[in-house]
Amino acid sequence: MAEMALLKQRKQRVCDMIDQESEKLYVLSQDIWKTPELAYKEHTAHQLLTSFFSSRAWEVQAHYHLDTAFRAQWTSEATDSPCLHVGFLCEYDALPDIGHACGHNLIAEVGAAAALGLRGALESVQPPRQVKITVLGTPAEEDGGGKIDLIKAGAFEDMDVVFMAHPAQGDAAYLPDVAIHDVTVKYYGKASHASAYPWEGVNALDAAILAYNNVSVLRQQMKSTWRVHGIIKNGGVKPNIIPDYTELEFYLRAPSLKELYNLQAKVYACFNSAATATGCKVELSTSSYDFYEVLPNKTLGSIYLENGNQLGIQFVSLDKGINTMAGSTDFGNVTYEVPGLHPYFYIGSKTFNHTAEFTEATGSEEAQYYTLRTAKSLAMTALDVIFNPDLLERIRQDWKMAKEMEDIPSGIDKHRDLNCRAGCSSFHIKNTTE
Ligand SMILES: NCCCC[C@H](NC(=O)CCCN)C(=O)O
């Protein structure tokens, strides 16, 4: 009973600590929201966040493996037991033209607030074992996948559990974020005067249209959980010049890597056959890592639900979920490295991510109550893991089982691109350290 009472006290300390910092946390997320920056170019956000932690006596490493990534760390007083390492992730990249329409400014705030709250609780009571808290600033979720660069740099190697949370239309401990593969399709033909001697041309726009229509007819054979969506970025320059170059961009998604690989082969056949039919050359390339699906962790999810319920969160269940199909996130790749939890949280608006209306909602004061409540729930979940060693063992068991369910197709070098196996001619990651 005493232990329970103590834990309750510590959780209250988490909430008090976050409430004490609410003003500064709001300013932090507002300043990020007001200066939307794209993937790998989040220089202002990086500066705001590193200053935020440096001014609170965290050990900060700016430009951590990436120009706009950072690491902030705090370790409790040393005891003789092995250290337990908890990670909180901050995202802060915006979308082109519509700013923070996915609320990554609030993701950063949640990560910062949860870390402050957990540290506050641990400083007020000596934990039974040494605890290290790491806040990782992970740029470029919307385009490229900064977390994967950090995985490859070893940033997650000794973490025991990692948390973040994402704004949405309701609260859910887990949504099935799916695996994704991006591909850019370039067709090369031969220009000619479209009226005088069209027969001399090789029409790259015909190839693009055929490719798009090939995918459209493929849809009737696609599983309902697969997604293929794309745009034509370049369709030619003038009607009287047979296009000698066209460019398309597609995202392919599936609930698992195995299915993504299967889907990719089918869609690549659509692109290649359009080249054959028109006599064009085709080049398939990507500038983003493949994101893996987010592996669920039942134990972490149930602890989070308990803590969220204590704070009055009304969770939606998957069957009545806000949306049983989520998007994709490079947090999925992180869950293959370390047990993780990536809940969704209501921000006071039913508008949809990636819309101008959601941008307004993520910059609103109303979002703050929900954002801080989510941070409290995450930090309280971390406290449960720290003070109940059995939980960590169960979390690890869940993680091992989830990974075994989705053994990555053999021969795929983890966190490289599936393209290597499916005929993609080039794979170049936009990486500011190059
Ligand atoms: N390489 C493209 C990645 C697109 C990621 C993008 N992510 C989000 O919208 C955040 C969803 C959070 N689960 C997507 O289109 O899914």
Side-chain angles (χ1 to χ4, degrees), residues 30-56:
Q30 278 289 295
D31 288 349
I32 294 171
W33 183 83
K34 289 170 187 166
T35 53
E37 298 165 307
L38 300 183
Y40 294 114
K41 296 180 168 58
E42 312 92 331
H43 303 291
T44 306
H46 171 270
Q47 195 279 322
L48 289 165
L49 284 155
T50 49
S51 305
F52 181 86
F53 283 101
S54 302
S55 64
R56 288 167 175 77

PDB file of all heavy atoms in Angstrom, residues 30-56:
ATOM      1  N   GLN A  30       4.305  27.460 -29.542  1.00  0.00           N
ATOM      2  CA  GLN A  30       3.857  28.571 -30.375  1.00  0.00           C
ATOM      3  C   GLN A  30       4.986  29.081 -31.281  1.00  0.00           C
ATOM      4  O   GLN A  30       4.795  29.320 -32.473  1.00  0.00           O
ATOM      5  CB  GLN A  30       3.374  29.733 -29.487  1.00  0.00           C
ATOM      6  CG  GLN A  30       1.954  29.573 -28.986  1.00  0.00           C
ATOM      7  CD  GLN A  30       0.931  29.755 -30.114  1.00  0.00           C
ATOM      8  OE1 GLN A  30       0.802  30.825 -30.689  1.00  0.00           O
ATOM      9  NE2 GLN A  30       0.233  28.688 -30.455  1.00  0.00           N
ATOM     10  N   ASP A  31       6.168  29.242 -30.710  1.00  0.00           N
ATOM     11  CA  ASP A  31       7.300  29.748 -31.503  1.00  0.00           C
ATOM     12  C   ASP A  31       7.646  28.789 -32.635  1.00  0.00           C
ATOM     13  O   ASP A  31       8.000  29.202 -33.744  1.00  0.00           O
ATOM     14  CB  ASP A  31       8.516  29.991 -30.610  1.00  0.00           C
ATOM     15  CG  ASP A  31       8.335  31.209 -29.704  1.00  0.00           C
ATOM     16  OD1 ASP A  31       7.356  31.967 -29.925  1.00  0.00           O
ATOM     17  OD2 ASP A  31       9.149  31.380 -28.770  1.00  0.00           O
ATOM     18  N   ILE A  32       7.511  27.506 -32.377  1.00  0.00           N
ATOM     19  CA  ILE A  32       7.743  26.509 -33.449  1.00  0.00           C
ATOM     20  C   ILE A  32       6.625  26.619 -34.474  1.00  0.00           C
ATOM     21  O   ILE A  32       6.865  26.638 -35.693  1.00  0.00           O
ATOM     22  CB  ILE A  32       7.819  25.081 -32.862  1.00  0.00           C
ATOM     23  CG1 ILE A  32       9.053  24.937 -31.956  1.00  0.00           C
ATOM     24  CG2 ILE A  32       7.861  24.034 -33.985  1.00  0.00           C
ATOM     25  CD1 ILE A  32       9.104  23.635 -31.172  1.00  0.00           C
ATOM     26  N   TRP A  33       5.406  26.753 -33.985  1.00  0.00           N
ATOM     27  CA  TRP A  33       4.241  26.817 -34.890  1.00  0.00           C
ATOM     28  C   TRP A  33       4.336  28.040 -35.815  1.00  0.00           C
ATOM     29  O   TRP A  33       3.981  27.960 -37.004  1.00  0.00           O
ATOM     30  CB  TRP A  33       2.959  26.884 -34.058  1.00  0.00           C
ATOM     31  CG  TRP A  33       1.677  26.879 -34.846  1.00  0.00           C
ATOM     32  CD1 TRP A  33       1.024  25.778 -35.341  1.00  0.00           C
ATOM     33  CD2 TRP A  33       0.915  28.018 -35.254  1.00  0.00           C
ATOM     34  NE1 TRP A  33      -0.107  26.167 -36.029  1.00  0.00           N
ATOM     35  CE2 TRP A  33      -0.213  27.541 -35.987  1.00  0.00           C
ATOM     36  CE3 TRP A  33       1.057  29.400 -35.058  1.00  0.00           C
ATOM     37  CZ2 TRP A  33      -1.183  28.381 -36.528  1.00  0.00           C
ATOM     38  CZ3 TRP A  33       0.084  30.248 -35.598  1.00  0.00           C
ATOM     39  CH2 TRP A  33      -1.011  29.743 -36.320  1.00  0.00           C
ATOM     40  N   LYS A  34       4.841  29.158 -35.260  1.00  0.00           N
ATOM     41  CA  LYS A  34       4.880  30.415 -36.031  1.00  0.00           C
ATOM     42  C   LYS A  34       5.976  30.424 -37.095  1.00  0.00           C
ATOM     43  O   LYS A  34       5.992  31.278 -37.971  1.00  0.00           O
ATOM     44  CB  LYS A  34       5.085  31.609 -35.081  1.00  0.00           C
ATOM     45  CG  LYS A  34       3.876  31.933 -34.225  1.00  0.00           C
ATOM     46  CD  LYS A  34       4.242  32.948 -33.146  1.00  0.00           C
ATOM     47  CE  LYS A  34       3.091  33.172 -32.163  1.00  0.00           C
ATOM     48  NZ  LYS A  34       3.561  33.889 -30.946  1.00  0.00           N
ATOM     49  N   THR A  35       6.929  29.502 -36.972  1.00  0.00           N
ATOM     50  CA  THR A  35       8.022  29.469 -37.970  1.00  0.00           C
ATOM     51  C   THR A  35       8.079  28.083 -38.597  1.00  0.00           C
ATOM     52  O   THR A  35       9.018  27.318 -38.332  1.00  0.00           O
ATOM     53  CB  THR A  35       9.378  29.767 -37.295  1.00  0.00           C
ATOM     54  OG1 THR A  35       9.513  28.842 -36.187  1.00  0.00           O
ATOM     55  CG2 THR A  35       9.474  31.182 -36.815  1.00  0.00           C
ATOM     56  N   PRO A  36       7.076  27.726 -39.421  1.00  0.00           N
ATOM     57  CA  PRO A  36       7.056  26.375 -40.006  1.00  0.00           C
ATOM     58  C   PRO A  36       8.282  26.126 -40.884  1.00  0.00           C
ATOM     59  O   PRO A  36       8.632  26.974 -41.700  1.00  0.00           O
ATOM     60  CB  PRO A  36       5.767  26.362 -40.834  1.00  0.00           C
ATOM     61  CG  PRO A  36       5.365  27.780 -41.025  1.00  0.00           C
ATOM     62  CD  PRO A  36       5.927  28.551 -39.882  1.00  0.00           C
ATOM     63  N   GLU A  37       8.951  25.010 -40.633  1.00  0.00           N
ATOM     64  CA  GLU A  37      10.172  24.669 -41.398  1.00  0.00           C
ATOM     65  C   GLU A  37      10.078  23.243 -41.907  1.00  0.00           C
ATOM     66  O   GLU A  37       9.539  22.366 -41.223  1.00  0.00           O
ATOM     67  CB  GLU A  37      11.389  24.811 -40.471  1.00  0.00           C
ATOM     68  CG  GLU A  37      11.587  26.234 -39.957  1.00  0.00           C
ATOM     69  CD  GLU A  37      12.542  26.299 -38.774  1.00  0.00           C
ATOM     70  OE1 GLU A  37      12.316  25.556 -37.793  1.00  0.00           O
ATOM     71  OE2 GLU A  37      13.517  27.055 -38.829  1.00  0.00           O
ATOM     72  N   LEU A  38      10.601  23.022 -43.114  1.00  0.00           N
ATOM     73  CA  LEU A  38      10.459  21.702 -43.749  1.00  0.00           C
ATOM     74  C   LEU A  38      11.545  20.735 -43.278  1.00  0.00           C
ATOM     75  O   LEU A  38      12.487  21.118 -42.598  1.00  0.00           O
ATOM     76  CB  LEU A  38      10.487  21.872 -45.269  1.00  0.00           C
ATOM     77  CG  LEU A  38       9.395  22.757 -45.876  1.00  0.00           C
ATOM     78  CD1 LEU A  38       9.499  22.775 -47.406  1.00  0.00           C
ATOM     79  CD2 LEU A  38       7.995  22.308 -45.431  1.00  0.00           C
ATOM     80  N   ALA A  39      11.376  19.509 -43.703  1.00  0.00           N
ATOM     81  CA  ALA A  39      12.253  18.394 -43.295  1.00  0.00           C
ATOM     82  C   ALA A  39      13.730  18.737 -43.477  1.00  0.00           C
ATOM     83  O   ALA A  39      14.139  19.277 -44.502  1.00  0.00           O
ATOM     84  CB  ALA A  39      11.901  17.175 -44.132  1.00  0.00           C
ATOM     85  N   TYR A  40      14.490  18.456 -42.447  1.00  0.00           N
ATOM     86  CA  TYR A  40      15.945  18.664 -42.390  1.00  0.00           C
ATOM     87  C   TYR A  40      16.337  20.144 -42.391  1.00  0.00           C
ATOM     88  O   TYR A  40      17.519  20.469 -42.405  1.00  0.00           O
ATOM     89  CB  TYR A  40      16.661  17.958 -43.555  1.00  0.00           C
ATOM     90  CG  TYR A  40      16.578  16.448 -43.514  1.00  0.00           C
ATOM     91  CD1 TYR A  40      15.869  15.752 -44.490  1.00  0.00           C
ATOM     92  CD2 TYR A  40      17.197  15.709 -42.511  1.00  0.00           C
ATOM     93  CE1 TYR A  40      15.777  14.366 -44.467  1.00  0.00           C
ATOM     94  CE2 TYR A  40      17.118  14.321 -42.480  1.00  0.00           C
ATOM     95  CZ  TYR A  40      16.405  13.659 -43.467  1.00  0.00           C
ATOM     96  OH  TYR A  40      16.320  12.284 -43.448  1.00  0.00           O
ATOM     97  N   LYS A  41      15.329  21.027 -42.374  1.00  0.00           N
ATOM     98  CA  LYS A  41      15.635  22.461 -42.386  1.00  0.00           C
ATOM     99  C   LYS A  41      15.025  23.160 -41.161  1.00  0.00           C
ATOM    100  O   LYS A  41      14.731  24.346 -41.179  1.00  0.00           O
ATOM    101  CB  LYS A  41      15.121  23.122 -43.673  1.00  0.00           C
ATOM    102  CG  LYS A  41      15.810  22.588 -44.927  1.00  0.00           C
ATOM    103  CD  LYS A  41      15.287  23.270 -46.187  1.00  0.00           C
ATOM    104  CE  LYS A  41      16.157  22.956 -47.394  1.00  0.00           C
ATOM    105  NZ  LYS A  41      16.240  21.486 -47.639  1.00  0.00           N
ATOM    106  N   GLU A  42      14.799  22.394 -40.072  1.00  0.00           N
ATOM    107  CA  GLU A  42      14.111  22.922 -38.893  1.00  0.00           C
ATOM    108  C   GLU A  42      15.089  23.662 -37.982  1.00  0.00           C
ATOM    109  O   GLU A  42      15.255  23.326 -36.799  1.00  0.00           O
ATOM    110  CB  GLU A  42      13.411  21.805 -38.128  1.00  0.00           C
ATOM    111  CG  GLU A  42      12.574  20.852 -38.995  1.00  0.00           C
ATOM    112  CD  GLU A  42      13.366  19.635 -39.464  1.00  0.00           C
ATOM    113  OE1 GLU A  42      14.604  19.723 -39.621  1.00  0.00           O
ATOM    114  OE2 GLU A  42      12.746  18.575 -39.666  1.00  0.00           O
ATOM    115  N   HIS A  43      15.778  24.662 -38.512  1.00  0.00           N
ATOM    116  CA  HIS A  43      16.857  25.320 -37.774  1.00  0.00           C
ATOM    117  C   HIS A  43      16.338  26.125 -36.585  1.00  0.00           C
ATOM    118  O   HIS A  43      16.915  26.092 -35.503  1.00  0.00           O
ATOM    119  CB  HIS A  43      17.665  26.220 -38.727  1.00  0.00           C
ATOM    120  CG  HIS A  43      18.231  25.468 -39.898  1.00  0.00           C
ATOM    121  ND1 HIS A  43      19.244  24.542 -39.781  1.00  0.00           N
ATOM    122  CD2 HIS A  43      17.870  25.472 -41.210  1.00  0.00           C
ATOM    123  CE1 HIS A  43      19.496  24.019 -40.968  1.00  0.00           C
ATOM    124  NE2 HIS A  43      18.679  24.555 -41.850  1.00  0.00           N
ATOM    125  N   THR A  44      15.227  26.824 -36.772  1.00  0.00           N
ATOM    126  CA  THR A  44      14.678  27.625 -35.660  1.00  0.00           C
ATOM    127  C   THR A  44      14.164  26.706 -34.562  1.00  0.00           C
ATOM    128  O   THR A  44      14.461  26.897 -33.378  1.00  0.00           O
ATOM    129  CB  THR A  44      13.525  28.526 -36.173  1.00  0.00           C
ATOM    130  OG1 THR A  44      13.994  29.301 -37.265  1.00  0.00           O
ATOM    131  CG2 THR A  44      12.998  29.433 -35.069  1.00  0.00           C
ATOM    132  N   ALA A  45      13.422  25.680 -34.958  1.00  0.00           N
ATOM    133  CA  ALA A  45      12.896  24.731 -33.964  1.00  0.00           C
ATOM    134  C   ALA A  45      14.044  24.088 -33.198  1.00  0.00           C
ATOM    135  O   ALA A  45      13.999  23.943 -31.963  1.00  0.00           O
ATOM    136  CB  ALA A  45      12.054  23.664 -34.645  1.00  0.00           C
ATOM    137  N   HIS A  46      15.087  23.732 -33.897  1.00  0.00           N
ATOM    138  CA  HIS A  46      16.259  23.106 -33.264  1.00  0.00           C
ATOM    139  C   HIS A  46      16.869  24.057 -32.230  1.00  0.00           C
ATOM    140  O   HIS A  46      17.161  23.678 -31.096  1.00  0.00           O
ATOM    141  CB  HIS A  46      17.292  22.763 -34.338  1.00  0.00           C
ATOM    142  CG  HIS A  46      18.622  22.312 -33.832  1.00  0.00           C
ATOM    143  ND1 HIS A  46      19.657  23.195 -33.578  1.00  0.00           N
ATOM    144  CD2 HIS A  46      19.098  21.084 -33.493  1.00  0.00           C
ATOM    145  CE1 HIS A  46      20.710  22.533 -33.122  1.00  0.00           C
ATOM    146  NE2 HIS A  46      20.391  21.251 -33.061  1.00  0.00           N
ATOM    147  N   GLN A  47      16.955  25.312 -32.606  1.00  0.00           N
ATOM    148  CA  GLN A  47      17.555  26.314 -31.704  1.00  0.00           C
ATOM    149  C   GLN A  47      16.648  26.536 -30.496  1.00  0.00           C
ATOM    150  O   GLN A  47      17.099  26.549 -29.339  1.00  0.00           O
ATOM    151  CB  GLN A  47      17.755  27.621 -32.494  1.00  0.00           C
ATOM    152  CG  GLN A  47      18.670  28.646 -31.835  1.00  0.00           C
ATOM    153  CD  GLN A  47      17.941  29.443 -30.764  1.00  0.00           C
ATOM    154  OE1 GLN A  47      16.762  29.760 -30.959  1.00  0.00           O
ATOM    155  NE2 GLN A  47      18.603  29.730 -29.654  1.00  0.00           N
ATOM    156  N   LEU A  48      15.330  26.610 -30.730  1.00  0.00           N
ATOM    157  CA  LEU A  48      14.382  26.834 -29.621  1.00  0.00           C
ATOM    158  C   LEU A  48      14.437  25.681 -28.619  1.00  0.00           C
ATOM    159  O   LEU A  48      14.481  25.888 -27.392  1.00  0.00           O
ATOM    160  CB  LEU A  48      12.961  26.974 -30.180  1.00  0.00           C
ATOM    161  CG  LEU A  48      12.649  28.263 -30.949  1.00  0.00           C
ATOM    162  CD1 LEU A  48      11.353  28.106 -31.749  1.00  0.00           C
ATOM    163  CD2 LEU A  48      12.544  29.442 -29.981  1.00  0.00           C
ATOM    164  N   LEU A  49      14.469  24.475 -29.142  1.00  0.00           N
ATOM    165  CA  LEU A  49      14.413  23.301 -28.257  1.00  0.00           C
ATOM    166  C   LEU A  49      15.729  23.095 -27.515  1.00  0.00           C
ATOM    167  O   LEU A  49      15.741  22.776 -26.313  1.00  0.00           O
ATOM    168  CB  LEU A  49      14.033  22.060 -29.067  1.00  0.00           C
ATOM    169  CG  LEU A  49      12.538  21.986 -29.434  1.00  0.00           C
ATOM    170  CD1 LEU A  49      12.324  21.131 -30.686  1.00  0.00           C
ATOM    171  CD2 LEU A  49      11.729  21.442 -28.263  1.00  0.00           C
ATOM    172  N   THR A  50      16.844  23.283 -28.203  1.00  0.00           N
ATOM    173  CA  THR A  50      18.133  23.090 -27.505  1.00  0.00           C
ATOM    174  C   THR A  50      18.310  24.166 -26.419  1.00  0.00           C
ATOM    175  O   THR A  50      18.786  23.848 -25.316  1.00  0.00           O
ATOM    176  CB  THR A  50      19.312  23.145 -28.497  1.00  0.00           C
ATOM    177  OG1 THR A  50      19.193  24.301 -29.326  1.00  0.00           O
ATOM    178  CG2 THR A  50      19.344  21.898 -29.366  1.00  0.00           C
ATOM    179  N   SER A  51      17.846  25.381 -26.704  1.00  0.00           N
ATOM    180  CA  SER A  51      17.925  26.437 -25.662  1.00  0.00           C
ATOM    181  C   SER A  51      17.007  26.105 -24.495  1.00  0.00           C
ATOM    182  O   SER A  51      17.373  26.276 -23.319  1.00  0.00           O
ATOM    183  CB  SER A  51      17.526  27.798 -26.241  1.00  0.00           C
ATOM    184  OG  SER A  51      18.301  28.109 -27.346  1.00  0.00           O
ATOM    185  N   PHE A  52      15.823  25.588 -24.819  1.00  0.00           N
ATOM    186  CA  PHE A  52      14.845  25.236 -23.773  1.00  0.00           C
ATOM    187  C   PHE A  52      15.462  24.259 -22.778  1.00  0.00           C
ATOM    188  O   PHE A  52      15.369  24.435 -21.557  1.00  0.00           O
ATOM    189  CB  PHE A  52      13.607  24.614 -24.437  1.00  0.00           C
ATOM    190  CG  PHE A  52      12.507  24.234 -23.489  1.00  0.00           C
ATOM    191  CD1 PHE A  52      11.557  25.162 -23.088  1.00  0.00           C
ATOM    192  CD2 PHE A  52      12.428  22.937 -22.980  1.00  0.00           C
ATOM    193  CE1 PHE A  52      10.535  24.815 -22.208  1.00  0.00           C
ATOM    194  CE2 PHE A  52      11.411  22.579 -22.095  1.00  0.00           C
ATOM    195  CZ  PHE A  52      10.463  23.516 -21.710  1.00  0.00           C
ATOM    196  N   PHE A  53      16.153  23.253 -23.280  1.00  0.00           N
ATOM    197  CA  PHE A  53      16.715  22.235 -22.386  1.00  0.00           C
ATOM    198  C   PHE A  53      18.019  22.703 -21.739  1.00  0.00           C
ATOM    199  O   PHE A  53      18.271  22.427 -20.565  1.00  0.00           O
ATOM    200  CB  PHE A  53      16.904  20.903 -23.130  1.00  0.00           C
ATOM    201  CG  PHE A  53      15.617  20.150 -23.311  1.00  0.00           C
ATOM    202  CD1 PHE A  53      14.946  20.169 -24.521  1.00  0.00           C
ATOM    203  CD2 PHE A  53      15.049  19.452 -22.250  1.00  0.00           C
ATOM    204  CE1 PHE A  53      13.742  19.499 -24.671  1.00  0.00           C
ATOM    205  CE2 PHE A  53      13.851  18.773 -22.385  1.00  0.00           C
ATOM    206  CZ  PHE A  53      13.191  18.801 -23.596  1.00  0.00           C
ATOM    207  N   SER A  54      18.839  23.444 -22.493  1.00  0.00           N
ATOM    208  CA  SER A  54      20.102  23.939 -21.904  1.00  0.00           C
ATOM    209  C   SER A  54      19.806  24.833 -20.706  1.00  0.00           C
ATOM    210  O   SER A  54      20.485  24.768 -19.682  1.00  0.00           O
ATOM    211  CB  SER A  54      20.898  24.747 -22.933  1.00  0.00           C
ATOM    212  OG  SER A  54      21.168  23.953 -24.054  1.00  0.00           O
ATOM    213  N   SER A  55      18.745  25.621 -20.829  1.00  0.00           N
ATOM    214  CA  SER A  55      18.418  26.562 -19.734  1.00  0.00           C
ATOM    215  C   SER A  55      17.822  25.846 -18.529  1.00  0.00           C
ATOM    216  O   SER A  55      17.552  26.468 -17.510  1.00  0.00           O
ATOM    217  CB  SER A  55      17.413  27.603 -20.239  1.00  0.00           C
ATOM    218  OG  SER A  55      16.189  26.941 -20.583  1.00  0.00           O
ATOM    219  N   ARG A  56      17.611  24.553 -18.640  1.00  0.00           N
ATOM    220  CA  ARG A  56      17.062  23.777 -17.513  1.00  0.00           C
ATOM    221  C   ARG A  56      18.040  22.688 -17.050  1.00  0.00           C
ATOM    222  O   ARG A  56      17.627  21.655 -16.554  1.00  0.00           O
ATOM    223  CB  ARG A  56      15.714  23.172 -17.895  1.00  0.00           C
ATOM    224  CG  ARG A  56      14.602  24.218 -17.988  1.00  0.00           C
ATOM    225  CD  ARG A  56      13.361  23.692 -18.645  1.00  0.00           C
ATOM    226  NE  ARG A  56      12.302  24.699 -18.584  1.00  0.00           N
ATOM    227  CZ  ARG A  56      12.243  25.769 -19.364  1.00  0.00           C
ATOM    228  NH1 ARG A  56      13.199  25.954 -20.277  1.00  0.00           N
ATOM    229  NH2 ARG A  56      11.269  26.656 -19.253  1.00  0.00           N
TER     230      ARG A  56
END
